[in-house]
Structure formats: C-alpha cells, structure tokens
Amino acid sequence: MNDTTTDQAKAAADASKRVADLLATIRSANDAFEKISRARMDAIGAGLKTLEADMTGTEDELAAYGRDMSSDLEQETAQLDTESESIERGEAADMAL
Amino acid sequence: MESNTGPASSDRVRIVRSNTKLIEGVLQEVLEEAQNERAARETALSAALKRTLKTDEAVVPPLPDIPNESLPTPNVSDTVAVMETPEKPAPIALDKDEIRTFKKPPESAWGKFKGLVGRGIETAREEFKHTTLGRFAASVERAGVRFLDRRFIDKAEGKFAKANERATKTEGRFTRHDAAVKGLGAEIQKLDETVKNFEARGLLDEKVRAKAARERASLEGRVEKETRKREAARVALQAHNTSKLRWENAIKDRARGATSRVENRVAPHRERAAELSAQCEQFRDEIKAHGEVRDSVAQELAKIERELENARFSFERSPLKKEITAIRAELKRADEAIMTRTAELGKFEGRLGKTTGQVEKWSMLTGDLERAASKERSYHIAPKAPTVTPSYEHRAIDTTSTPAGAEHIPTPAPESGETIKDVTPEEYVTIWNALYGSDEPIDLRIFDKIKGASFQFQAVEKMIANELLNRAPLEARTNKGAELVERAKAVRRLIASL
C-alpha cells in the first residue's frame, strides 16, 4: 500500500514537472517566434516596398527612354527606307538600259 | 453719375461727367451688366471658395478706396478717344459702396476659381491612377519600350528580308549576264579559231573576211551590252548588301542599346527579388519549425492528460489544471501566430511574385533582343569587277606602316579564318561614308598628308578611327572606341563580300 502511494506521489510530481516544462517550452517558443517573425516581416515588408517602388520607377524610366527613342527610330527608318527605295529605283533604271 | 472708382476706371468717370445722354445710356447698360456678372460670379465663387478657403478675406484683399480729388479733369477729346478705341475694354464704373461690398477683384478671384478647377482636375487625375483602368493605362505606358523596340526590330527584319529578296533576284540577273558574257566570249574565241582555220585553208577571201568581221563586231557588241548589264547588277548587288548591312546594324544597335539599358536597370531588381525570395523561404521554414514545436508540445500534453485520466483520485489532477490551461492558451497563441504569419507570408509572396513577373517580362524582352542582335544573316557575294580603274593613285601596299600615334587606336582584331583584303583609302572611305556618312562622314583629305604612301588595311582603319576619336569629346572616347570597333567590323564584312 505504501509503495503504491509512493509511486502515485512520484508520478504526480513527475507529471507536474513535465507540465511545467511543457509550459516553459511553448511559452518560450511562442515568444521567440513572435520576436523573430516580427523582425522577418518588417524586413521583408520594407524590402518589398522599396523593390516595388524602384521597379515602378525603372519601368517608368524605361518607358520614357522608349518614347524618347521613337522619334529617332522613325527618322532612321524613314532614312533607310528612302535609301532602299533609291537603290530599287537605280536598279530599275539599270535594268531598263 | 458721380462715383468713386479705381485708377483703371478714370476714363469711364470722364464719360460720366460729359453729361451726354448716349454715354449715360451706355454706362447704365455696362453698369447693369457688371452688376449681373458680379452677382453670378459671387454666387459661384462663394460656393467654391467656401469649400476650400477658410479665410477668404486674407486671400483676397479688398480694393483700396480712391479719393475724388485724384480724379482727372473731364475732357471731351478724351471721351471721343475712348469711344474710338473699341478694342480697349471699357472699365466698369462702380460706386464706393459697390466697391466695398465687392471685395474680390474679378480677375484675381476668377483666376483663383480656375485654379480650384485645375486642382480638381489634378485630384481627378490622381484618383484615376488608382482605378483599374488607370492602372492598366499606366502598365501599357510602362510597357511602351517593349512594343516600340520590337516593332522597330520586326520592321527592320522585314526590310532586311526584302532587301535580301531583291539581292537574290539581282544575283540571278548577275549570274545570267555573267554566263552570257562568258558564252559570247567563247563564241568570239570559236569565231577567231574558225577564221584562222579558214585562213590556213585559203578560204578567207575579202568577202568572207568582211562577213566574219561583221559577225565578230556583232558578238563584241553583245558582249559589251551583257558586260554593262552584269556590272549594273554587280553594283546593284553591292547596294543591296549595303542596304542589308545598314538594316542589320540598325537592328543590332537598337537591340544592343535597349538590352544594355534594360539589363542595367533591371538586373539589380532581379538580385533583390532573389534575396527577398530567399528571406521568404527562410521565414516559411521558421513558421514550419514553430509548427513542429507546437505539435510536439500538443502531443506531450495529450499524453500527460491521458495519464492523468487514469489517476485514482481527481484531486491528483487539480494542481495541474491551471498550468494545463496555460499550455492550451499558449498552443492557441501559437496557432494564431502561425496562421497570421502564414497569411502575411502568402501576401508577401504574392507581391514578390508580381514584381518578379515584371522583372521576368523585361528579361524575356532582352532575350528576344539579344537573339535579334546575334542572329546570323547571310549576304550575297558579288564578284569583283574584272577591271577597276582607281581614281586614287594606288601604290604598292606597305605592310609595315602605321600612322604615327595610332598604336592605341581601337580596331577590331582579325577573327579566326578572316582574310583582310587590302583596300585603298578611297575605297574604304567610300564604303564608310555609304554606311555611316550621314552621322560621321569621313573626308578623304585626312589622308592628304600621307598621300602616295601605301597602307595596310588596318592602318587605314586606324587613321579613320583616330580622326573620329579626335572629334569625340574626351569623356566619350571610351564608348566611342567600342562603337568604332563595331563599325570597322561592319565595313570589313562588306568589303569581304565585294
């Protein structure tokens, strides 16, 4: 009888310790996760915000670059077209000889 | 009508004092119009200004009172002068009380009202940017460079293909005339042999000789005609090659320029996106690890609870109830944190995916442009004319001379298997000017000081490169050097095809 009581007391003490350990473990893990995840979110959020803004800026800049080029391209195309037509006319004249 | 007016309305006061019925009638009309206009403006302005201006008085100062003594003496000629200048708007006559009640100068207030309308447009424009249509319009605008460059390159590719098609036809023409020249040459040779044969056999009397001579002259005439056509075809083929080369250069220049520009701007973003992706991945691992800790705690708790259920007395469970409740609360906290952070991470990954998609679109564009730039294009080889009479006095090629000071001038290194033909400066300059003469013409006179000397091909290249580098500003010479190397390569290719 005494042995049984002792075993029960030991089991109760053991359960108490395990529960205390578990509480400490999950509380500590939660606190650490809260801290780490907050820092991680702040870092990713800030990085993303900057990246998005920079990307938009880059696209705007490249679009402006494209627009600036358009008149040059038109001129260049027109000039090359004229030259091609001139060659064609010259050849047609040669063939007519 | 005696009145106090501002300095600008002094002429109107003179009209009032002239006591002319007509003028009074006009004045009355003008005054009524002014009052009506003022009333309408005040109503509109008070509605608009109330909404935006807190301190109306501070923004629009009242008109100053003008004393009667400052009014000029009335004069009939002045009145006539006023009546005879219809293009000058007549100042509005208002009495002192009216001026005091009408505190906002019409022009200034109207300008302010227009300013308000302008700000309204700006606000509307700003709001439009955040609508779906506005975002679409912005994305189309940003994507402009893609459509623009591709459109130009597509067009240039089409033009190159057309020039190539023409060159193919011309090559066929050249081949036909060349074959005709050769065939007729063989005919003449055969005719000569036959004449000799006849002569040997004593069959060549004057009549036969004359007939043979006529036939030979006819053949020579045809040879001449075919040769002329062949030369015309050869020149046309060169022109087509030049045209093709210019379109090719246009494609390459544009494609490389755009690729370089895009890559320089987008590459840093790509790296940052990759870094953020790695951070997200790490965050996901951390969430997963926390979930595993939570699960192991929950399992251990369930195990303890099962053991406690087997306890003989309920009081054995009592001391642990409080702590078990606390553990459950912490487990719930963990669940919530994991759920919240997973959702947040999902949002981050969504945004990152969108930005990465933007970066990738540009990468695809540069990939297309690079392919366009590095595409191998064929040229039709036009055999060189059998005889060329250079107008430039071409002497023997000196294979050792290099222009003084030109040792460090950039010229392309010979490619493997490349044979560099010798050309006269005149030939080189003609080709250069055909290709680049519109923006960087070369004058043959740069060779005057060494006229008569002989050159290696690369020496000519260096002379020209030296000349063009000297024209460029100092800070632009590094880029210029690279450009000159590219251009020299193009000239070499064209010369090789001639």
Side-chain angles (χ1 to χ4, degrees):
Chain A
M1 182 67 181
N2 279 342
D3 287 346
T4 309
T5 308
T6 308
D7 288 346
Q8 282 177 350
K10 272 181 72 179
D14 183 45
S16 178
K17 187 178 180 308
R18 283 163 64 200
V19 168
D21 285 349
L22 270 188
L23 181 57
T25 301
I26 189 69
R27 189 168 278 163
S28 160
N30 273 345
D31 290 346
F33 181 70
E34 176 68 24
K35 199 175 169 184
I36 288 170
S37 64
R38 169 93 31 213
R40 185 74 70 197
M41 278 174 52
D42 288 348
I44 295 174
L48 254 179
K49 197 174 175 184
T50 313
L51 178 62
E52 285 166 344
D54 289 352
M55 190 65 211
T56 303
T58 296
E59 291 204 326
D60 288 344
E61 185 199 331
L62 288 173
Y65 159 71
R67 283 195 299 276
D68 290 346
M69 268 199 322
S70 65
S71 61
D72 293 346
L73 289 178
E74 280 171 19
Q75 280 178 13
E76 191 173 350
T77 307
Q79 190 190 339
L80 290 175
D81 270 339
T82 308
E83 287 172 9
S84 297
E85 284 164 14
S86 169
I87 292 168
E88 204 171 357
R89 277 198 303 275
E91 190 177 11
D94 285 341
M95 284 169 73
L97 285 174
Chain B
M1 181 175 170
E2 295 291 327
S3 64
N4 295 327
T5 65
S9 56
S10 57
D11 289 339
R12 175 63 63 196
V13 174
R14 288 183 211 120
I15 295 168
V16 172
R17 289 181 178 177
S18 69
N19 288 325
T20 307
K21 276 190 176 181
L22 178 64
I23 294 173
E24 278 181 354
V26 171
L27 267 177
Q28 194 57 39
E29 278 180 26
V30 169
L31 180 58
E32 280 172 11
E33 278 177 20
Q35 284 169 341
N36 292 338
E37 189 182 359
R38 183 194 65 200
R41 279 183 189 169
E42 277 186 332
T43 308
L45 280 170
S46 63
L49 294 173
K50 266 181 193 172
R51 285 198 300 273
T52 52
L53 297 179
K54 303 278 185 191
T55 53
D56 196 25
E57 297 284 26
V59 175
V60 186
L63 285 176
D65 291 344
I66 307 298
N68 280 337
E69 293 72 22
S70 68
L71 296 174
T73 310
N75 186 316
V76 175
S77 63
D78 285 348
T79 307
V80 172
V82 169
M83 297 299 288
E84 285 177 353
T85 52
E87 66 278 6
K88 189 177 178 181
I92 298 165
L94 297 173
D95 64 32
K96 196 172 182 177
D97 290 335
E98 283 173 334
I99 292 168
R100 280 185 178 147
T101 53
F102 188 28
K103 292 175 180 174
K104 294 175 278 296
E107 286 306 315
S108 166
W110 184 243
K112 199 163 287 298
F113 181 70
K114 283 197 288 187
L116 287 174
V117 172
R119 278 202 290 279
I121 290 168
E122 283 302 313
T123 310
R125 191 175 290 157
E126 194 59 35
E127 284 172 1
F128 173 72
K129 283 183 185 173
H130 301 292
T131 64
T132 307
L133 186 61
R135 282 194 294 272
F136 175 72
S139 69
V140 167
E141 191 173 336
R142 280 198 293 274
V145 66
R146 279 172 253 177
F147 299 129
L148 184 74
D149 280 326
R150 292 180 100 137
R151 190 181 60 187
F152 173 76
I153 287 168
D154 287 348
K155 184 172 182 181
E157 289 281 15
K159 296 284 184 183
F160 182 91
K162 200 170 178 184
N164 194 49
E165 198 178 308
R166 286 194 199 114
T168 305
K169 284 182 185 170
T170 307
E171 189 184 42
R173 204 156 55 82
F174 177 89
T175 308
R176 279 198 309 279
H177 293 308
D178 190 50
V181 169
K182 285 174 182 164
L184 288 167
E187 280 285 295
I188 291 171
Q189 202 176 356
K190 202 169 181 181
L191 185 142
D192 289 346
E193 284 170 9
T194 309
V195 168
K196 277 183 186 171
N197 192 2
F198 267 51
E199 201 171 16
R201 288 158 58 193
L203 299 174
L204 198 66
D205 58 18
E206 281 305 310
K207 195 176 174 185
V208 174
R209 185 185 295 275
K211 195 173 180 184
R214 278 199 303 276
E215 281 185 30
R216 195 179 196 285
S218 168
L219 283 172
E220 280 175 349
R222 286 171 62 196
V223 166
E224 194 182 327
K225 192 177 175 185
E226 290 295 331
T227 305
R228 207 167 50 239
K229 285 186 174 179
R230 184 184 66 178
E231 287 313 299
R234 190 182 62 80
V235 170
L237 203 49
Q238 284 176 2
H240 289 314
N241 273 341
T242 307
S243 175
K244 282 165 65 179
L245 192 67
R246 295 200 70 168
W247 283 112
E248 181 179 1
N249 284 342
I251 294 167
K252 286 186 172 178
D253 288 352
R254 201 61 58 198
R256 284 179 181 149
T259 303
S260 160
R261 181 87 172 206
V262 169
E263 197 52 30
N264 284 343
R265 297 294 188 281
V266 173
H269 302 331
R270 190 185 296 120
E271 285 174 19
R272 283 162 59 198
E275 282 169 18
L276 282 171
S277 179
Q279 283 185 39
C280 285
E281 192 63 34
Q282 197 174 345
F283 190 21
R284 191 167 284 283
D285 289 346
E286 285 162 0
I287 293 172
K288 192 180 170 192
H290 188 55
E292 285 168 0
V293 171
R294 181 250 172 241
D295 289 347
S296 72
V297 168
Q299 281 172 9
E300 185 62 19
L301 180 65
K303 193 176 165 190
I304 291 170
E305 283 180 321
R306 277 197 303 277
E307 288 170 10
L308 287 174
E309 276 172 11
N310 295 330
R312 181 175 296 179
F313 305 107
S314 63
F315 72 86
E316 292 177 71
R317 295 192 288 270
S318 298
L320 301 176
K321 269 189 177 175
K322 196 178 169 187
E323 285 185 312
I324 287 174
T325 305
I327 291 173
R328 285 199 179 121
E330 288 295 333
L331 287 175
K332 193 179 173 190
R333 188 181 151 209
D335 285 341
E336 284 171 357
I338 289 168
M339 195 172 68
T340 311
R341 298 303 187 234
T342 304
E344 289 290 335
L345 178 59
K347 283 182 191 171
F348 283 150
E349 286 177 334
R351 284 167 61 190
L352 184 58
K354 196 177 165 189
T355 308
T356 308
Q358 282 174 286
V359 171
E360 287 310 310
K361 280 179 194 168
W362 287 100
S363 299
M364 280 170 65
L365 167 72
T366 53
D368 287 351
L369 293 175
E370 276 168 10
R371 273 190 292 283
S374 58
K375 186 177 172 182
E376 282 297 322
R377 295 173 176 84
S378 63
Y379 286 80
H380 295 77
I381 297 169
K384 197 162 183 174
T387 54
V388 175
T389 310
S391 55
Y392 180 79
E393 191 184 355
H394 187 201
R395 300 193 180 177
I397 300 295
D398 177 357
T399 55
T400 57
S401 73
T402 299
E407 291 80 7
H408 304 294
I409 303 299
T411 53
E415 291 173 8
S416 62
E418 184 186 24
T419 308
I420 303 175
K421 290 182 183 176
D422 284 322
V423 290
T424 64
E426 187 185 43
E427 286 166 342
Y428 194 97
V429 167
T430 304
I431 293 166
W432 177 278
N433 285 341
L435 294 177
Y436 308 114
S438 58
D439 59 331
E440 278 187 322
I442 293 287
D443 193 328
L444 196 60
R445 280 176 294 187
I446 68 168
F447 294 96
D448 276 357
K449 58 185 174 185
I450 47 171
K451 194 169 183 180
S454 52
F455 302 98
Q456 201 178 19
F457 184 92
Q458 282 166 301
V460 178
E461 282 178 344
K462 286 193 174 187
M463 285 290 289
I464 289 177
N466 188 38
E467 164 74 12
L468 294 173
L469 276 180
N470 284 334
R471 288 184 199 170
L474 202 58
E475 64 276 9
R477 287 189 184 172
T478 307
N479 291 336
K480 189 74 190 166
E483 182 191 299
L484 290 175
V485 167
E486 286 300 312
R487 291 191 164 189
K489 278 183 186 174
V491 175
R492 279 188 189 183
R493 288 180 58 188
L494 187 57
I495 288 172
S497 74
L498 298 179

